[in-house]
Coordinates of all heavy atoms in Angstrom, one line a residue:
M219 N -14.7 -7.2 -29.4 CA -14.4 -5.8 -29.5 C -14.9 -5.2 -30.8 O -14.7 -5.8 -31.8 CB -12.8 -5.6 -29.4 CG -12.4 -4.1 -29.6 SD -11.5 -3.2 -28.4 CE -11.7 -4.0 -26.8
P220 N -15.6 -4.1 -30.7 CA -16.2 -3.5 -31.9 C -15.1 -3.0 -32.9 O -14.0 -2.7 -32.4 CB -17.1 -2.4 -31.4 CG -16.5 -2.0 -30.1 CD -15.9 -3.3 -29.5
A221 N -15.4 -2.9 -34.1 CA -14.5 -2.3 -35.1 C -14.3 -0.8 -34.8 O -15.1 -0.2 -34.2 CB -15.1 -2.5 -36.5
R222 N -13.1 -0.4 -35.2 CA -12.8 1.1 -35.0 C -13.7 1.9 -35.9 O -13.7 1.7 -37.1 CB -11.3 1.3 -35.4 CG -10.3 1.0 -34.3 CD -9.0 1.5 -34.7 NE -8.5 0.5 -35.7 CZ -7.4 0.7 -36.4 NH1 -6.6 1.7 -36.2 NH2 -7.0 -0.2 -37.3
P223 N -14.3 2.9 -35.4 CA -15.2 3.8 -36.2 C -14.3 4.8 -36.9 O -14.8 5.4 -37.9 CB -16.1 4.5 -35.2 CG -15.3 4.5 -33.9 CD -14.4 3.2 -34.0
A224 N -13.1 5.0 -36.5 CA -12.2 6.0 -37.1 C -10.8 5.6 -37.0 O -10.5 4.7 -36.2 CB -12.5 7.4 -36.5
H225 N -9.9 6.2 -37.7 CA -8.5 5.9 -37.6 C -7.8 6.8 -36.6 O -7.9 8.1 -36.6 CB -7.8 6.2 -39.0 CG -6.3 6.0 -38.9 ND1 -5.8 4.7 -38.7 CD2 -5.3 6.9 -39.0 CE1 -4.4 4.9 -38.7 NE2 -4.1 6.1 -38.8
F226 N -7.2 6.3 -35.5 CA -6.5 7.0 -34.5 C -5.1 6.7 -34.6 O -4.7 5.6 -34.3 CB -7.0 6.6 -33.1 CG -8.5 6.9 -32.9 CD1 -9.3 5.9 -32.5 CD2 -9.0 8.2 -33.0 CE1 -10.7 6.1 -32.3 CE2 -10.3 8.4 -32.7 CZ -11.2 7.4 -32.4
P227 N -4.2 7.6 -35.1 CA -2.8 7.3 -35.2 C -2.2 6.8 -33.9 O -1.3 6.0 -33.9 CB -2.2 8.6 -35.6 CG -3.3 9.4 -36.3 CD -4.5 8.9 -35.5
A228 N -2.7 7.3 -32.7 CA -2.2 6.9 -31.4 C -2.3 5.4 -31.1 O -1.7 4.9 -30.2 CB -2.8 7.7 -30.3
L229 N -3.2 4.7 -31.9 CA -3.3 3.3 -31.7 C -2.0 2.5 -32.0 O -1.9 1.3 -31.7 CB -4.5 2.7 -32.5 CG -5.9 3.1 -32.0 CD1 -6.9 2.5 -32.9 CD2 -6.1 2.7 -30.6
A230 N -1.1 3.2 -32.6 CA 0.2 2.5 -33.0 C 1.0 2.2 -31.8 O 1.9 1.4 -31.8 CB 1.0 3.4 -33.9
V231 N 0.7 2.8 -30.6 CA 1.5 2.5 -29.4 C 0.5 2.0 -28.3 O -0.7 2.2 -28.4 CB 2.2 3.8 -28.9 CG1 3.2 4.3 -29.9 CG2 1.2 4.9 -28.5
A232 N 1.1 1.3 -27.3 CA 0.3 0.9 -26.2 C -0.2 2.1 -25.3 O 0.5 3.1 -25.3 CB 1.1 -0.1 -25.3
C233 N -1.3 1.9 -24.6 CA -1.8 3.0 -23.8 C -1.3 2.9 -22.4 O -1.6 1.9 -21.7 CB -3.3 3.0 -23.8 SG -4.0 4.4 -22.8
P234 N -0.5 3.9 -21.9 CA -0.1 3.9 -20.5 C -1.2 4.1 -19.5 O -1.0 3.7 -18.4 CB 1.0 5.0 -20.5 CG 0.7 5.9 -21.6 CD 0.0 5.0 -22.7
A235 N -2.3 4.6 -19.9 CA -3.4 4.9 -19.0 C -4.2 3.6 -18.7 O -4.5 3.3 -17.5 CB -4.3 6.0 -19.5
C236 N -4.6 2.9 -19.7 CA -5.5 1.7 -19.5 C -4.8 0.4 -19.8 O -5.4 -0.7 -19.6 CB -6.8 1.9 -20.3 SG -6.6 1.8 -22.1
G237 N -3.6 0.4 -20.4 CA -2.9 -0.8 -20.7 C -3.3 -1.5 -22.0 O -2.8 -2.6 -22.3
S238 N -4.1 -0.9 -22.8 CA -4.5 -1.5 -24.1 C -3.2 -1.6 -25.0 O -2.4 -0.7 -25.1 CB -5.5 -0.6 -24.8 OG -6.7 -0.6 -24.1
A239 N -3.2 -2.7 -25.7 CA -2.0 -3.0 -26.5 C -2.1 -2.2 -27.8 O -3.2 -1.7 -28.2 CB -2.1 -4.5 -26.9
P240 N -1.0 -2.0 -28.5 CA -1.0 -1.3 -29.8 C -2.1 -2.0 -30.7 O -2.2 -3.2 -30.8 CB 0.4 -1.6 -30.4 CG 1.2 -1.7 -29.2 CD 0.4 -2.5 -28.2
G241 N -2.8 -1.1 -31.4 CA -3.9 -1.6 -32.3 C -5.2 -1.8 -31.7 O -6.2 -2.1 -32.3
V242 N -5.3 -1.8 -30.3 CA -6.5 -2.1 -29.6 C -7.0 -0.8 -29.0 O -6.3 0.0 -28.5 CB -6.2 -3.1 -28.5 CG1 -7.5 -3.4 -27.7 CG2 -5.7 -4.4 -29.0
L243 N -8.4 -0.6 -29.1 CA -9.0 0.6 -28.5 C -8.7 0.8 -27.1 O -8.6 -0.2 -26.3 CB -10.5 0.6 -28.8 CG -10.9 0.7 -30.2 CD1 -12.4 0.4 -30.3 CD2 -10.6 2.1 -30.8
C244 N -8.6 2.0 -26.6 CA -8.6 2.3 -25.2 C -9.9 1.8 -24.5 O -10.9 1.7 -25.2 CB -8.4 3.8 -24.9 SG -6.7 4.4 -25.3
T245 N -9.9 1.6 -23.2 CA -11.1 1.3 -22.5 C -11.4 2.3 -21.5 O -10.6 3.0 -21.0 CB -11.0 -0.1 -21.8 OG1 -9.9 -0.1 -21.0 CG2 -10.8 -1.2 -22.9
S246 N -12.7 2.3 -21.1 CA -13.2 3.2 -20.1 C -13.8 2.4 -19.0 O -14.1 1.2 -19.2 CB -14.3 4.2 -20.6 OG -13.7 5.0 -21.6
H247 N -14.1 3.0 -17.9 CA -14.8 2.4 -16.8 C -14.2 1.0 -16.4 O -14.8 0.0 -16.5 CB -16.3 2.2 -17.1 CG -16.9 3.5 -17.5 ND1 -17.2 4.5 -16.6 CD2 -17.2 4.0 -18.7 CE1 -17.7 5.5 -17.2 NE2 -17.8 5.3 -18.5
S248 N -12.9 1.1 -16.0 CA -12.2 -0.1 -15.5 C -12.1 -1.2 -16.5 O -12.2 -2.4 -16.2 CB -12.9 -0.6 -14.2 OG -12.9 0.4 -13.2
G249 N -12.0 -0.9 -17.8 CA -11.9 -1.9 -18.8 C -13.2 -2.5 -19.3 O -13.1 -3.5 -20.0
T250 N -14.3 -2.0 -18.9 CA -15.6 -2.6 -19.3 C -16.1 -2.2 -20.6 O -16.9 -2.9 -21.2 CB -16.6 -2.4 -18.2 OG1 -16.9 -1.0 -18.1 CG2 -16.2 -3.0 -16.9
R251 N -15.7 -1.0 -21.1 CA -16.2 -0.5 -22.4 C -15.1 0.1 -23.2 O -14.2 0.8 -22.7 CB -17.3 0.6 -22.2 CG -18.5 0.1 -21.6 CD -19.6 1.1 -21.6 NE -19.2 2.2 -20.7 CZ -20.0 3.2 -20.4 NH1 -21.2 3.3 -20.9 NH2 -19.6 4.2 -19.6
P252 N -15.1 -0.2 -24.6 CA -14.1 0.5 -25.4 C -14.4 1.9 -25.6 O -15.6 2.3 -25.7 CB -14.2 -0.3 -26.7 CG -15.6 -0.9 -26.7 CD -16.0 -1.1 -25.3
R253 N -13.4 2.8 -25.7 CA -13.5 4.2 -26.1 C -13.5 4.3 -27.6 O -12.4 4.2 -28.2 CB -12.4 5.0 -25.5 CG -12.4 5.0 -24.0 CD -11.2 5.8 -23.4 NE -11.3 7.2 -23.8 CZ -11.0 8.2 -23.0 NH1 -10.8 8.0 -21.7 NH2 -11.1 9.4 -23.5
R254 N -14.6 4.4 -28.2 CA -14.7 4.4 -29.7 C -14.6 5.7 -30.3 O -14.4 5.8 -31.5 CB -16.0 3.7 -30.1 CG -16.0 2.2 -29.7 CD -17.2 1.5 -30.3 NE -18.4 2.0 -29.5 CZ -19.7 1.9 -29.9 NH1 -19.9 1.4 -31.1 NH2 -20.6 2.3 -29.2
N255 N -14.6 6.8 -29.5 CA -14.5 8.2 -30.1 C -13.2 8.9 -29.9 O -13.0 9.9 -30.5 CB -15.7 9.0 -29.5 CG -17.0 8.4 -29.9 OD1 -17.2 8.0 -31.0 ND2 -17.9 8.3 -28.9
D256 N -12.4 8.3 -29.0 CA -11.1 9.0 -28.7 C -10.2 8.0 -28.0 O -10.6 6.9 -27.8 CB -11.3 10.3 -27.9 CG -11.9 10.0 -26.5 OD1 -12.2 8.8 -26.2 OD2 -12.1 11.0 -25.8
V257 N -9.0 8.4 -27.7 CA -8.0 7.7 -26.9 C -7.6 8.5 -25.7 O -7.9 9.7 -25.7 CB -6.8 7.3 -27.8 CG1 -7.2 6.4 -28.9 CG2 -6.0 8.5 -28.3
H258 N -7.0 7.9 -24.7 CA -6.6 8.6 -23.6 C -5.5 9.6 -24.0 O -4.7 9.4 -24.9 CB -6.0 7.6 -22.5 CG -7.0 6.8 -21.9 ND1 -7.2 5.5 -22.0 CD2 -8.0 7.2 -21.0 CE1 -8.2 5.0 -21.3 NE2 -8.7 6.0 -20.7
Q259 N -5.5 10.7 -23.3 CA -4.5 11.8 -23.5 C -3.1 11.2 -23.3 O -2.2 11.6 -24.1 CB -4.7 13.0 -22.6 CG -6.0 13.7 -23.0 CD -6.2 14.9 -22.0 OE1 -5.4 15.2 -21.1 NE2 -7.3 15.6 -22.3
A260 N -2.9 10.3 -22.4 CA -1.6 9.7 -22.1 C -1.1 8.9 -23.4 O 0.1 8.9 -23.7 CB -1.6 8.8 -20.9
R261 N -2.0 8.3 -24.1 CA -1.7 7.6 -25.3 C -1.3 8.5 -26.4 O -0.4 8.2 -27.1 CB -2.9 6.7 -25.7 CG -2.5 5.7 -26.7 CD -3.6 4.7 -27.0 NE -3.2 3.5 -27.5 CZ -3.9 2.4 -27.7 NH1 -5.2 2.5 -27.4 NH2 -3.4 1.3 -28.1
T262 N -2.0 9.6 -26.5 CA -1.7 10.6 -27.5 C -0.3 11.1 -27.3 O 0.5 11.3 -28.2 CB -2.7 11.7 -27.5 OG1 -4.0 11.2 -27.8 CG2 -2.4 12.8 -28.6
R263 N 0.1 11.4 -26.0 CA 1.4 11.9 -25.7 C 2.5 10.8 -25.9 O 3.6 11.1 -26.4 CB 1.5 12.3 -24.2 CG 0.7 13.6 -23.9 CD 1.0 14.2 -22.5 NE 0.5 13.3 -21.5 CZ -0.7 13.3 -20.9 NH1 -1.6 14.2 -21.3 NH2 -1.0 12.4 -20.0
A264 N 2.2 9.6 -25.6 CA 3.1 8.5 -25.9 C 3.4 8.3 -27.4 O 4.5 8.1 -27.8 CB 2.6 7.2 -25.3
H265 N 2.3 8.5 -28.2 CA 2.5 8.4 -29.6 C 3.3 9.6 -30.1 O 4.2 9.4 -31.0 CB 1.1 8.4 -30.3 CG 1.2 8.4 -31.8 ND1 0.9 9.4 -32.6 CD2 1.5 7.3 -32.6 CE1 1.1 9.1 -33.8 NE2 1.4 7.8 -33.9
A266 N 3.1 10.8 -29.6 CA 3.9 11.9 -30.1 C 5.3 11.7 -29.7 O 6.2 12.0 -30.5 CB 3.3 13.2 -29.4
A267 N 5.6 11.2 -28.5 CA 7.0 11.0 -28.1 C 7.7 9.9 -29.0 O 8.8 10.1 -29.4 CB 7.0 10.5 -26.6
A268 N 6.9 8.9 -29.3 CA 7.5 7.9 -30.2 C 7.8 8.4 -31.6 O 8.8 8.1 -32.2 CB 6.5 6.7 -30.3
Q269 N 6.9 9.3 -32.1 CA 7.1 10.0 -33.4 C 8.4 10.8 -33.4 O 9.2 10.9 -34.3 CB 5.9 10.8 -33.8 CG 4.7 10.0 -34.1 CD 4.9 9.0 -35.2 OE1 5.3 9.4 -36.3 NE2 4.7 7.8 -35.0
Q270 N 8.6 11.6 -32.3 CA 9.8 12.4 -32.1 C 11.0 11.5 -32.1 O 12.1 11.9 -32.7 CB 9.7 13.3 -30.9 CG 8.7 14.3 -31.0 CD 8.5 15.1 -29.7 OE1 9.1 14.8 -28.7 NE2 7.7 16.2 -29.8
T271 N 11.0 10.4 -31.4 CA 12.1 9.5 -31.3 C 12.5 8.9 -32.7 O 13.6 8.9 -33.1 CB 11.8 8.4 -30.3 OG1 11.6 8.9 -29.1 CG2 13.0 7.4 -30.2
T272 N 11.4 8.6 -33.5 CA 11.6 8.0 -34.8 C 12.2 9.1 -35.7 O 13.1 8.8 -36.5 CB 10.3 7.5 -35.4 OG1 9.7 6.5 -34.4 CG2 10.4 6.9 -36.7
T273 N 11.7 10.3 -35.6 CA 12.1 11.4 -36.5 C 13.6 11.7 -36.2 O 14.4 11.9 -37.1 CB 11.3 12.6 -36.3 OG1 9.9 12.3 -36.5 CG2 11.7 13.7 -37.2
R274 N 14.0 11.7 -35.0 CA 15.4 12.0 -34.6 C 16.4 10.9 -35.0 O 17.5 11.2 -35.3 CB 15.5 12.2 -33.1 CG 14.9 13.4 -32.6 CD 15.0 13.5 -31.1 NE 14.2 14.6 -30.6 CZ 13.8 14.7 -29.3 NH1 14.1 13.7 -28.5 NH2 13.1 15.7 -29.0
S275 N 15.9 9.7 -35.1 CA 16.9 8.6 -35.4 C 17.0 8.5 -36.9 O 17.9 7.7 -37.4 CB 16.4 7.3 -34.8 OG 15.1 6.9 -35.4
N276 N 16.2 9.1 -37.7 CA 16.4 9.0 -39.2 C 17.3 10.0 -39.7 O 17.8 10.9 -39.5 CB 15.0 9.2 -39.9 CG 14.2 8.0 -39.7 OD1 14.7 6.9 -39.5 ND2 12.9 8.2 -39.8

């Protein structure tokens, strides 16, 4: 897997769209290529939800 070209905060959570684990880039085309320029929108939403949960519990 290639190195991340940029920091994506959403990589802190697993991707519900492609199943990539936390810290691993999302994949495109049935898992054959890493998405090096962005993450799935579902992953961004999952990260935002996790942030809201963390903020509320503090």
